[in-house]
Amino acid sequence: MTDPASKPELGRFGSFGRGVTPQQAKDIEALGYGAVWVGGSPPAELAWVEPILAATTTLQVATGIVNIWTAAAGPVAESFHRIEAAYPGRFLLGIGVGHPEAHTEYRKPYNALVEYLDSLDAHGVPPDRRVVAALGPRVLKLSAQRSAGAHPYLTTPEHTAQARELIGASGFPEAFLAPEHKVVLTTDTEKARAVGRRALDIYFDLANYRNSWRRLGFSAEEVTRPGSDRLVDALVAYGTPEQIAARLRKHLDAGADHVPVQILTEDENLVSALAELAGPLGLTVA
């Protein structure tokens, strides 16, 4: 579906988290990051978006993701149009199906996602200003067919390469691809793995992630809590800022357009941590 001329332009790297203050967003923009991604299934009203955009000039805001089970398409579309009218081209709507363990109403997720995309179409949300959370082949193809592209979560550069090849073979070589990757700023391997395991813990209960890791070649034992060191090291980058940057750039080398970086740190340390990475990532600091 993606027209190269209308492909989202979020820069090479962004920041991913549960949210940022307007001042943090302003500081993140000054460091050269192109976007902030906000996860945690935000509500349909998306009232937090405008203050971030008002405090910045070029920074994009993306949702990673609005959950189709907890935020109806109609109100989400209203929010999109409100934000788009005030800040044209600076908001990217990320949507996804979440996981069955968290939602009692969860059933036939693929069909529900198609229906949600149909509803967004009916409410005039342009496909090139939305992305779909996608891990497996079927939803990766759908993301390219019905949106700007895919926002995979908790994957590896190897998955990015597979995703790029798959959506290309499906007839959408220009589809947008923005895989999230977690980071711990330490050279202490044991500390990094401990922090990483705490962040990963909930996902060991979720079949869609375990299945995704199995497709990447990890064994059933490796994707069972607490997870193998090999799995943690694949999903969580650590080391010197230069080593971390090299790991993140592997996603770009594999075909990603943009990498949302989730730094596993306290909220008040977010900007300083991103500042440590900005130079090694080759970002232009204002």
Side-chain angles (χ1 to χ4, degrees):
M1 162 273 131
T2 304
D3 176 355
S6 61
K7 191 172 183 175
E9 288 288 344
L10 276 68
R12 292 174 299 169
F13 297 99
S15 173
F16 186 105
R18 292 280 176 168
V20 296
T21 66
Q23 182 59 52
Q24 285 177 318
K26 187 174 182 179
D27 294 339
I28 290 169
E29 179 182 60
L31 289 171
Y33 292 89
V36 292
W37 293 73
V38 176
S41 298
E45 291 72 23
L46 301 175
W48 48 270
V49 174
E50 283 102 333
I52 294 174
L53 293 176
T56 55
T57 304
T58 61
L59 191 76
Q60 299 250 340
V61 174
T63 52
I65 53 154
V66 167
N67 193 307
I68 69 170
W69 305 110
T70 59
V76 168
E78 291 177 9
S79 296
F80 174 86
H81 289 302
R82 183 191 74 238
I83 297 165
E84 178 66 16
Y87 301 96
R90 292 183 59 200
F91 176 64
L92 184 64
L93 175 64
I95 67 165
V97 298
H99 42 80
E101 295 87 348
H103 304 286
T104 56
E105 296 182 14
Y106 188 106
R107 55 188 179 275
K108 295 185 179 179
Y110 183 87
N111 292 343
L113 182 56
V114 170
E115 292 171 4
Y116 198 95
L117 289 165
D118 290 343
S119 185
L120 291 179
D121 285 344
H123 286 89
V125 176
D128 62 358
R129 295 309 302 171
R130 65 196 192 205
V131 293
V132 176
L135 291 173
R138 195 179 186 199
V139 181
L140 281 167
K141 292 176 184 177
L142 180 70
S143 73
Q145 294 165 351
R146 300 292 306 275
S147 76
H151 171 47
Y153 187 81
L154 267 181
T155 64
T156 66
E158 292 74 21
H159 180 276
T160 298
Q162 293 172 14
R164 175 56 69 195
E165 182 177 2
L166 187 146
I167 58 182
S170 300
F172 301 95
E174 298 296 331
F176 183 70
L177 188 55
E180 172 269 357
H181 204 105
K182 290 176 170 49
V183 164
V184 181
L185 273 164
T186 182
T187 57
D188 184 327
T189 297
E190 294 309 311
K191 178 180 178 181
R193 287 173 176 167
V195 172
R197 279 192 167 91
R198 285 197 294 272
L200 297 176
D201 187 70
I202 185 176
Y203 301 101
F204 291 114
D205 293 327
L206 307 179
N208 57 332
Y209 290 103
R210 294 197 308 272
N211 292 338
S212 175
W213 300 332
R214 291 292 303 276
R215 287 193 295 267
L216 288 169
F218 294 95
S219 69
E221 182 178 2
E222 286 184 291
V223 304
T224 300
R225 184 181 284 109
S228 70
D229 288 346
R230 188 170 78 100
L231 177 69
V232 176
D233 290 351
L235 299 174
V236 181
Y238 59 87
T240 65
E242 290 75 19
Q243 289 171 329
I244 293 169
R247 175 66 174 167
L248 297 175
R249 280 196 294 269
K250 287 185 177 180
H251 283 286
L252 300 178
D253 295 341
D257 297 286
H258 172 83
V259 182
V261 181
Q262 184 171 8
I263 298 185
L264 303 178
T265 186
E266 300 295 331
D267 290 347
E268 60 268 23
N269 298 327
L270 174 63
V271 172
S272 61
L274 289 169
E276 287 191 58
L277 285 177
L281 288 174
L283 303 181
T284 303
V285 179

